[in-house]
Amino acid sequence: MVVEKMAAEKTAAENKRSEIKRIIKDTKSLPTLPGVIAKLGSLADNDKVSMQEMASVVNKDYVLSAKLLKLVNSAFYGFSGRVSTVSNAIILLGVNVIKSLAISSSIFEIMEKNVIGLWEHSMGTAVAANSIAKALKLPEPEEISTAALLHDIGKVIIKINLKEDYNLLSQRIHEKDLMMIEAERELLGTDHAEIGEWLTQTWLLPEKLIEPIAFHHDVKNATVHQDKTAVVHVADVLIKGFGFGFGGDEIVPCIQPAAWDHLSLTEEFLEEIIPEIEEKLVEVMNFSLEVQAGNGATT
Ligand SMILES: [Fe+2]
Ligand SMILES: [Fe+2]
């Protein structure tokens, strides 16, 4: 009986995996992204013409411009209150980051209302990733923050498009004391990291953002952007350790050896960086409360 039950669950999970893949391929079923995203899709990073074009596209959308400037001036990127125009934001952060931010701000609008814990977890991870990347003097710290901001985007898709499954997952996590990713693999035959990979591929985001999202739970599988993937992983673990926000489960995993070795981390480094991150999290909390007040959210 137990074997039969396991086999049935395996088939159900395999079917779910195909269903989720279908949902993502059929972009109509995804949360609607503003029309500007499609227009931004073809623009290349580090290209002057693209930057000007992008500024003019984004400027036409007042809501998006305001949201972008708010995000850019928040604790994630360390430009607090200093970026006042979309053009400056694009020059500072590049086309890729702005494109992802435009997508994030639309997705997060849904998160702010439905999954505030996950929104705070994502923002906290972005801030932590930025601090770690800068302290380690890694290239492209802004791209790393952006990947961190989006690392659990797959969970948003599960929550919004597969409500029943989301409830079953929460139940199983609670009953069997699992990490969310373990419960997902059991029930869905895939996990939020892979769903995030499919989604960001559909959105044509650059590989340097896709890979950290796809492998933030399996750093050793990253092949090109190991640094970025490792930082997102470490930031995710630290934020869970701080108990900041809620990513779907209460388990704090260990930092994976692949990440530790790849970044040549030391205990001393972590001891130094932790108070710095904690300080920034106060700002993130204020930002979140401000956003929630603006939305009239209550939890
Ligand atoms: Fe995750
Ligand atoms: Fe996470």
Side-chain angles (χ1 to χ4, degrees):
M1 276 304 272
V2 176
V3 175
E4 274 168 29
K5 203 179 158 211
M6 278 170 71
E9 196 166 85
K10 200 166 169 237
T11 319
E14 275 163 14
N15 292 341
K16 262 295 160 219
R17 184 188 156 88
S18 323
E19 184 194 331
I20 297 170
K21 231 178 175 173
R22 241 191 346 264
I23 288 174
I24 289 169
K25 290 267 143 56
D26 174 17
T27 39
K28 282 196 272 333
S29 62
L30 292 176
T32 36
L33 296 175
V36 289
I37 305 294
K39 288 188 205 137
L40 299 180
S42 57
L43 303 177
D45 203 20
N46 300 323
D47 164 0
K48 252 197 165 150
V49 179
S50 288
M51 287 196 182
Q52 281 162 0
E53 253 178 70
M54 173 176 258
S56 79
V57 171
V58 174
N59 271 324
K60 279 185 199 124
D61 186 328
Y62 297 115
V63 179
L64 180 62
S65 312
K67 277 193 206 149
L68 272 184
L69 289 175
K70 202 170 169 189
L71 266 176
V72 172
N73 283 306
S74 69
F76 313 125
Y77 299 101
F79 302 118
S80 298
R82 285 186 284 135
V83 187
S84 52
T85 66
V86 171
S87 308
N88 276 344
I90 296 170
I91 292 164
L92 280 170
L93 297 176
V95 169
N96 274 336
V97 172
I98 297 293
K99 191 171 139 190
S100 322
L101 279 182
I103 293 174
S104 320
S105 63
S106 337
I107 291 294
F108 283 131
E109 202 178 293
I110 305 162
M111 278 172 95
E112 285 160 14
K113 289 180 192 135
N114 297 296
V115 256
I116 288 163
L118 184 58
W119 154 242
E120 287 171 352
H121 167 74
S122 306
M123 290 196 296
T125 307
V127 166
N130 193 258
S131 296
I132 297 168
K134 284 188 175 150
L136 293 173
K137 299 195 169 56
L138 296 177
E140 304 184 309
E142 283 80 21
E143 314 265 357
I144 298 178
S145 308
T146 306
L149 190 62
L150 288 171
H151 78 284
D152 277 341
I153 195 83
K155 291 182 184 172
V156 183
I157 295 302
I158 302 173
K159 165 93 183 174
I160 293 169
N161 293 72
L162 301 141
K163 284 203 181 77
E164 268 175 38
D165 293 298
Y166 191 86
N167 294 338
L168 284 176
L169 283 171
S170 308
Q171 222 176 312
R172 186 166 288 213
I173 289 164
H174 194 72
E175 278 167 13
K176 293 173 78 176
D177 199 20
L178 295 177
M179 276 184 73
M180 182 145 182
I181 196 149
E182 296 168 318
E184 289 165 349
R185 286 172 183 167
E186 279 184 20
L187 282 176
L188 308 178
T190 179
D191 57 57
H192 67 270
E194 191 177 34
I195 297 173
E197 181 183 13
W198 294 336
L199 192 63
T200 45
Q201 279 167 348
T202 309
W203 287 340
L204 304 174
L205 293 189
E207 200 52 46
K208 56 186 159 188
L209 294 175
I210 298 175
E211 204 172 77
I213 294 169
F215 301 121
H216 71 274
H217 288 281
D218 298 288
V219 176
K220 61 176 180 344
N221 292 345
T223 51
V224 184
H225 303 286
Q226 290 106 333
D227 278 359
K228 292 182 173 64
T229 309
V231 172
V232 172
H233 166 74
V234 174
D236 186 24
V237 172
L238 291 183
I239 288 300
K240 286 188 99 180
F242 290 139
F244 190 84
F246 181 63
D249 65 65
E250 307 277 3
I251 298 169
V252 183
C254 293
I255 293 177
Q256 294 177 355
W260 189 272
D261 295 345
H262 198 82
L263 299 173
S264 310
L265 293 182
T266 59
E267 302 266 347
E268 293 73 39
F269 173 81
L270 288 184
E271 273 165 30
E272 263 171 50
I273 199 91
I274 283 172
E276 189 191 307
I277 296 172
E278 272 177 322
E279 216 170 282
K280 286 191 183 160
L281 289 179
V282 177
E283 264 181 76
V284 177
M285 205 59 223
N286 290 337
F287 181 71
S288 174
L289 291 173
E290 206 182 295
V291 166
Q292 287 170 50
N295 278 335
T298 50
T299 47

